[in-house]
C-alpha cells in the first residue's frame, strides 16, 4: 500500500435475492456510487464492494413456490441485479453473493472465534411451528388477532392497528401463512450472540464520529432499554449455512449477510493480489458502509460487536440514507409508484435520476421525495436549459465560423466595462473546486449541485453579456471566437465537477470535446484545440414518459 493517498473499502447494503431492484433501493446505491466515484477521481484508492443477500426463509419459500431450487431462484435475481446496476451507472469493483464457499468459510471462522472468545450462550426457546409444513415460523409468517386490541389479520411481531409488540405465540386464532394450519408451540435449542457483553464498547463506539448524529442519538434509546442477546440460529429447513457440529441448525441470514461484505471483498482482493487484512484489520485504511435506515440496528450494534468479538476492526463510518417516497407517499403498487429500476430504465436514462437524487441528497437521515413534476422541471431546466445549453450555444459558432477549433487564447481585449465581472471567469470556476469536492466528500451532494448550477448560470450570463450572435454580425470574429471558446471551456469544467453524478454524460462530453474531463486536467484550458461537431448530449424529458413509467408500474 502506498501512503500518499487514502485507502477506502466501501460497501452498500446487500440486496435480497428475492426481488428486483426498485427506485427506493437505487437511492442508496447511487448515493454510495457518487461518493466512490468522487474518491477515485481524487486519486484515492477506493474499492466499492457489494452483492446479493441470498439466504433466509422467504427466499427458500419463494423458490419452492416457483418450483425452483433456491440456487436457481437466486441466480435469476443475481443476473437481473447485475444488469440493473450497470444501467443505473452504479459501478462496483466486485458484485458477489452471500451464497458462496468463501462466505461459508468466513462465517464459520467468525462463529468459531466468537464462540471461543466466550460470546455464545445457549438457550431453549419456544417458537411457533407449522405442523403441516414441518417448519418453524418466523414472526411474519404467523397471522392472527392482536392479543391487545383484537384487530384481526395481524403479523406475529406487532399490531398495525394499536402498535403493540408481542411474540407470535401470543396471537389469538393464529394461522400459519404458509399452510393455514394452526401453529403449535415447539421447543428448540438456540445459540445466541451475547451482545450485552459489548455494551460499554458499543456505547463508546456509537458516539465516536462513526455515525450521523441522528443515528447516534437514536441508538442511545437501545442502551437505555438494555441490549439483549441476539439469536443467530435457525432450525432446518432453512436456506443458509449449517452451523458446524449440529445436524439441523443453520446460521440466521443476518449473521452471514454482513460477513458477505468480507467474503465479497476477499474474492476481489484475491483476484487482484491485494491483502484482505489491510482492509479488515488495519486502521490506516477506512471501512465505510452505506445502508438504508431500516437496517441501522444490524449495522451499528450487532456488526461492530461481531467484528470486535472475532478480532477484526470495526467500521470507520456508517452512512445511513432515508427512504424514498414517490409523489409524497410511500411507494405503492396500487398507485403505480412502486417503480422497478428496469421499468424506469425502459423509458428514461439513469442520468436524470442520478442528477435528481444528487440535487436532493444531504448527509442527514431524511426521507427523499421523488416528485415527478419537480423531477421533470428540475432536470429539464438544470441539465438541458442551463448545462447542455452552454455547449450548444457556443459550439455552433465554433463549428461554422472557426473550423471546429477553439481560440488560441481566451483573453478578451475589449472587456473594460465596469460591470464586467467575467474578467477571471475561468479561474473563478476553478476556485470553486475545493468547496465542491468537500461537499461531495461530506455527502452533501445537494450543496455541490447548488454550487455547480450557480456556475452554470454564470456561464450563461457570460455568453448573454457578450452576445456572440450579435458580435459576429459586427465583424468582431476574434472576440466571438474567444467568447465561444471560453463557453466550451467552462462547460468542460462543469462536466468535470458533475462527473461523479453524471458519468455517462461525462464520457459523451469528453468525446465531443476530444479532451479529458478529469478533475486533475482542468488547470489548463483547451486552446487552439479541435472539438467534434456538437450533437445533443441529453434530451429533455417528455412528461409522457413519466406517465408510461407509472402505467407500466401498475401492471
Ligand atoms: N439484505 C438486507 C441488507 C443486508 S446488508 C448486510 C436488505 N436488503 S433489501 O434488499 O431489503 O434492501 C437493500 C437496501 O435498500 C437497504 O439499504 C435498504 O435500507 C434500502 N431500501 C429499501 N427500500 C428503500 C426505500 N424505499 N428507500 C431507500 N432505501 C430503501 O435490507
Ligand atoms: Zn392491536
Amino acid at each position: 500500500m502506498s501512503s500518499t493517498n487514502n485507502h477506502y473499502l466501501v460497501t452498500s447494503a446487500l440486496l435480497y435475492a428475492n426481488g428486483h431492484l426498485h427506485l427506493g433501493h437505487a437511492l442508496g446505491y447511487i448515493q454510495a456510487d457518487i461518493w466512490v466515484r468522487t474518491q477515485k477521481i481524487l486519486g484515492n484508492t477506493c474499492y466499492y464492494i457489494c452483492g446479493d443477500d441470498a439466504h433466509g426463509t422467504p427466499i427458500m419459500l419463494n423458490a419452492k413456490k416457483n418450483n425452483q431450487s433456491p440456487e436457481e431462484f437466486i441466480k435469476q435475481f443475481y443476473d437481473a441485479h447485475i444488469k440493473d446496476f450497470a444501467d443505473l451507472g452504479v459501478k462496483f469493483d466486485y458484485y458477489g453473493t452471500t451464497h458462496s464457499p468463501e462466505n461459508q468459510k468466513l462465517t464459520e471462522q467468525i462463529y468459531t472465534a466468537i464462540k471461543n472468545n466466550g460470546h455464545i450462550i445457549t438457550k431453549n426457546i419456544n417458537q411457533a411451528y407449522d405442523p403441516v409444513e414441518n417448519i418453524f415460523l418466523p414472526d411474519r409468517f404467523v397471522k392472527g388477532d392482536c392479543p391487545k386490541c383484537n384487530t384481526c389479520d395481524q403479523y406475529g411481531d406487532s399490531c398495525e392497528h394499536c402498535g403493540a409488540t408481542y411474540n407470535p405465540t401470543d396471537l389469538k386464532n393464529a394461522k400459519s401463512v404458509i399452510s393455514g394450519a394452526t401453529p403449535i408451540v415447539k421447543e428448540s435449542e438456540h445459540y445466541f450472540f451475547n451482545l450485552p457483553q459489548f455494551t460499554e464498547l458499543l456505547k463508546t463506539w456509537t458516539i465516536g464520529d462513526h455515525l450521523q448524529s441522528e443515528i447516534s442519538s437514536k441508538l442511545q434509546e437501545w442502551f437505555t432499554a438494555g441490549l439483549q442477546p441476539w439469536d443467530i440460529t435457525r432450525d432446518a429447513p432453512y436456506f443458509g449455512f449449517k452451523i458446524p457440529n449440529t445436524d439441523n441448525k443453520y446460521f440466521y441470514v443476518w449473521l452471514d449477510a454482513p460477513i458477505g461484505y468480507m467474503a465479497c471483498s476477499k474474492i476481489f482482493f484475491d483476484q487482484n493480489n491485494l491483502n484482505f487484512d489491510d482492509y479488515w484489520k488495519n486502521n490506516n485504511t477506512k471501512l465505510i458502509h452505506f445502508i438504508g435506515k431500516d437496517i441501522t440496528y444490524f449495522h451499528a450494534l450487532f456488526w461492530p460487536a461481531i467484528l470486535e468479538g472475532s478480532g477484526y476492526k470495526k467500521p470507520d463510518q456508517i452512512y445511513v440514507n432515508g427512504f424514498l417516497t414517490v409523489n409524497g407517499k410511500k411507494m405503492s403498487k396500487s398507485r403505480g409508484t412502486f417503480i422497478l429500476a428496469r421499468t424506469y430504465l425502459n423509458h428514461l436514462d439513469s442520468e436524470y435520476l442520478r442528477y435528481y437524487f444528487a440535487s436532493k441528497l444531504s448527509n442527514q437521515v431524511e426521507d427523499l421525495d421523488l416528485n415527478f413534476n419537480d423531477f421533470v422541471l428540475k432536470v429539464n431546466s438544470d441539465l438541458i436549459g442551463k448545462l447542455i445549453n452552454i455547449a450548444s450555444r457556443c459550439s455552433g459558432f465554433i463549428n461554422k465560423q472557426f473550423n471546429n477549433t477553439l481560440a488560441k487564447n481566451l483573453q478578451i481585449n475589449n472587456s473594460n466595462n465596469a460591470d464586467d465581472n467575467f474578467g477571471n471567469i475561468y479561474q473563478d470556476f476553478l476556485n470553486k473546486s475545493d468547496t465542491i469536492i468537500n461537499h461531495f466528500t461530506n455527502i452533501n451532494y445537494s450543496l455541490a449541485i447548488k454550487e455547480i448550477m450557480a456556475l452554470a448560470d454564470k456561464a450563461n450570463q457570460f455568453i448573454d453579456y457578450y452576445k456572440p450572435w450579435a458580435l459576429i454580425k459586427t465583424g468582431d470574429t476574434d472576440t466571438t471566437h474567444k467568447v465561444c471558446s471560453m463557453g466550451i471551456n467552462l462547460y468542460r469544467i462543469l462536466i468535470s465537477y458533475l462527473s461523479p453524478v453524471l458519468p455517462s454524460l461525462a464520457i459523451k462530453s469528453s468525446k465531443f470535446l476530444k479532451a479529458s474531463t478529469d478533475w486533475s486536467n482542468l488547470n489548463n484550458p483547451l486552446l487552439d484545440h479541435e472539438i467534434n461537431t456538437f450533437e445533443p448530449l441529453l434530451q429533455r424529458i417528455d412528461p409522457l414518459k413519466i406517465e408510461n413509467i407509472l402505467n407500466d408500474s401498475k401492471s
Side-chain angles (χ1 to χ4, degrees):
M1 281 196 311
S2 87
S3 54
T4 48
N5 63 1
N6 296 320
H7 290 71
Y8 300 105
L9 178 61
V10 177
T11 71
S12 276
L14 306 183
L15 191 64
Y16 280 126
N18 198 15
H20 288 290
L21 189 71
H22 59 59
L23 294 190
H25 298 131
L27 174 64
Y29 297 98
I30 288 174
Q31 180 184 43
D33 181 74
I34 292 173
W35 197 86
V36 169
R37 286 180 185 270
T38 304
Q39 297 314 314
K40 289 186 172 178
I41 289 166
L42 292 174
N44 291 318
T45 302
C46 188
Y47 302 121
Y48 187 18
I49 304 292
C50 193
D52 272 6
D53 188 350
H55 292 152
T57 307
I59 288 178
M60 178 179 72
L61 294 174
N62 281 334
K64 197 173 159 198
K65 237 191 234 165
N66 274 17
N67 287 318
Q68 283 177 306
S69 69
E71 284 82 0
E72 284 169 332
F73 181 82
I74 62 175
K75 174 75 168 64
Q76 290 168 2
F77 283 109
Y78 180 82
D79 293 343
H81 291 168
I82 295 253
K83 264 198 106 253
D84 289 348
F85 280 125
D87 292 347
L88 284 173
V90 173
K91 197 172 175 191
F92 300 112
D93 288 281
Y94 184 78
Y95 194 86
T97 167
T98 56
H99 191 62
S100 72
E102 290 82 1
N103 197 34
Q104 179 153 23
K105 194 167 157 201
L106 269 164
T107 303
E108 288 177 7
Q109 274 172 5
I110 286 177
Y111 172 71
T112 308
I114 52 181
K115 193 173 168 198
N116 291 343
N117 291 333
H119 305 307
I120 295 291
I121 50 179
T122 328
K123 277 199 256 182
N124 284 345
I125 60 162
N126 286 316
Q127 282 170 282
Y129 185 85
D130 183 325
V132 174
E133 291 288 326
N134 293 317
I135 178 172
F136 281 99
L137 294 165
D139 296 357
R140 294 246 136 186
F141 287 84
V142 185
K143 277 189 146 185
D145 307 343
C146 169
K148 253 210 172 138
C149 75
N150 286 320
T151 305
C152 60
D153 210 27
Q154 296 305 306
Y155 283 120
D157 52 354
S158 61
C159 172
E160 277 178 327
H161 182 71
C162 74
T165 58
Y166 40 74
N167 290 320
T169 46
D170 299 334
L171 280 176
K172 296 186 213 159
N173 300 318
K175 295 274 178 285
S176 158
V177 171
I178 310 171
S179 69
T182 303
I184 58 169
V185 174
K186 201 169 160 172
E187 193 181 68
S188 159
E189 183 184 56
H190 276 212
Y191 305 126
F192 287 75
F193 176 60
N194 197 349
L195 191 65
Q197 289 176 333
F198 295 87
T199 302
E200 285 316 308
L201 173 104
L202 289 171
K203 270 188 183 164
T204 314
W205 187 81
T206 52
I207 54 169
D209 266 359
H210 309 291
L211 302 166
Q212 290 130 300
S213 56
E214 301 111 289
I215 299 292
S216 304
S217 330
K218 183 100 191 92
L219 289 171
Q220 300 318 306
E221 294 169 18
W222 293 100
F223 293 121
T224 316
L227 301 180
Q228 300 298 320
W230 179 42
D231 187 351
I232 55 166
T233 320
R234 292 299 181 266
D235 293 278
Y238 195 73
F239 183 52
F241 296 137
K242 184 160 299 162
I243 303 182
N245 307 316
T246 72
D247 3 294
N248 59 354
K249 299 201 184 297
Y250 287 79
F251 291 118
Y252 176 38
V253 53
W254 265 106
L255 180 70
D256 73 69
I259 298 173
Y261 295 140
M262 302 175 102
C264 290
S265 76
K266 173 115 185 23
I267 296 171
F268 171 76
F269 290 145
D270 287 351
Q271 286 173 354
N272 291 279
N273 276 321
L274 294 160
N275 183 351
F276 180 81
D277 283 355
D278 278 348
Y279 289 87
W280 291 98
K281 288 194 173 169
N282 178 342
N283 285 321
N284 293 324
T285 60
K286 301 276 172 256
L287 172 62
I288 302 180
H289 301 301
F290 282 83
I291 59 165
K293 66 178 181 183
D294 57 324
I295 53 177
T296 301
Y297 194 88
F298 292 103
H299 283 82
L301 294 177
F302 296 147
W303 181 230
I306 293 276
L307 288 167
E308 174 78 16
S310 55
Y312 291 99
K313 68 177 266 183
K314 294 179 289 301
D316 292 285
Q317 196 75 47
I318 297 178
Y319 286 116
V320 180
N321 68 267
F323 262 42
L324 184 74
T325 55
V326 178
N327 292 336
K329 300 205 176 94
K330 210 174 140 186
M331 292 168 56
S332 124
K333 290 200 173 141
S334 57
R335 280 191 285 269
T337 57
F338 192 91
I339 301 166
L340 298 182
R342 184 51 53 192
T343 310
Y344 170 93
L345 290 165
N346 284 341
H347 299 280
L348 287 174
D349 196 310
S350 63
E351 304 277 278
Y352 304 125
L353 186 69
R354 294 174 65 98
Y355 180 76
Y356 187 75
F357 283 167
S359 76
K360 298 189 86 172
L361 271 166
S362 75
N363 61 10
Q364 311 286 301
V365 194
E366 291 160 345
D367 288 351
L368 188 154
D369 189 43
L370 169 56
N371 174 294
F372 275 116
N373 291 333
D374 183 43
F375 172 77
V376 173
L377 278 176
K378 184 177 269 182
V379 168
N380 285 347
S381 121
D382 286 7
L383 292 186
I384 320 298
K386 293 179 182 179
L387 181 70
I388 301 290
N389 193 33
I390 301 167
S392 75
R393 318 170 74 175
C394 296
S395 58
F397 294 101
I398 301 288
N399 173 233
K400 285 185 213 108
Q401 313 287 335
F402 306 108
N403 201 19
N404 264 349
T405 305
L406 300 178
K408 286 195 173 66
N409 77 71
L410 302 173
Q411 214 50 58
I412 297 167
N413 300 320
N414 63 352
S415 67
N416 48 10
N417 188 320
D419 289 339
D420 174 10
N421 54 19
F422 302 117
N424 273 317
I425 191 165
Y426 192 84
Q427 191 56 43
D428 293 343
F429 271 46
L430 288 187
N431 290 346
K432 284 285 176 187
S433 159
D434 285 349
T435 311
I436 291 167
I437 287 170
N438 282 336
H439 289 324
F440 276 123
T441 298
N442 297 326
I443 329 248
N444 276 318
Y445 304 158
S446 59
L447 297 180
I449 297 291
K450 240 184 220 147
E451 292 283 351
I452 297 168
M453 279 304 134
L455 293 178
D457 284 337
K458 191 160 175 186
N460 280 303
Q461 286 154 14
F462 166 83
I463 299 165
D464 292 341
Y465 177 82
Y466 284 105
K467 300 186 179 51
W469 55 91
L471 264 180
I472 193 81
K473 288 186 189 143
T474 68
D476 188 353
T477 48
D478 182 58
T479 309
T480 310
H481 196 192
K482 286 174 174 170
V483 168
C484 293
S485 301
M486 179 61 95
I488 296 290
N489 270 291
L490 297 178
Y491 175 76
R492 176 168 172 249
I493 300 182
L494 295 172
I495 288 294
S496 304
Y497 288 166
L498 283 167
S499 60
V501 180
L502 305 173
S504 114
L505 181 64
I507 291 172
K508 285 188 206 158
S509 299
S510 176
K511 282 188 192 137
F512 157 62
L513 295 167
K514 293 192 179 180
S516 145
T517 52
D518 284 358
W519 233 317
S520 54
N521 283 321
L522 296 177
N523 276 332
N524 299 314
L526 304 173
L527 301 174
D528 196 18
H529 170 94
E530 195 191 61
I531 60 171
N532 269 317
T533 305
F534 178 81
E535 285 164 42
L537 298 161
L538 210 57
Q539 319 290 333
R540 301 181 81 78
I541 300 179
D542 176 352
L544 254 178
K545 303 230 166 161
I546 305 293
E547 272 179 47
N548 293 338
I549 290 173
L550 295 174
N551 280 333
D552 285 5
S553 301
K554 276 182 193 141
S555 49

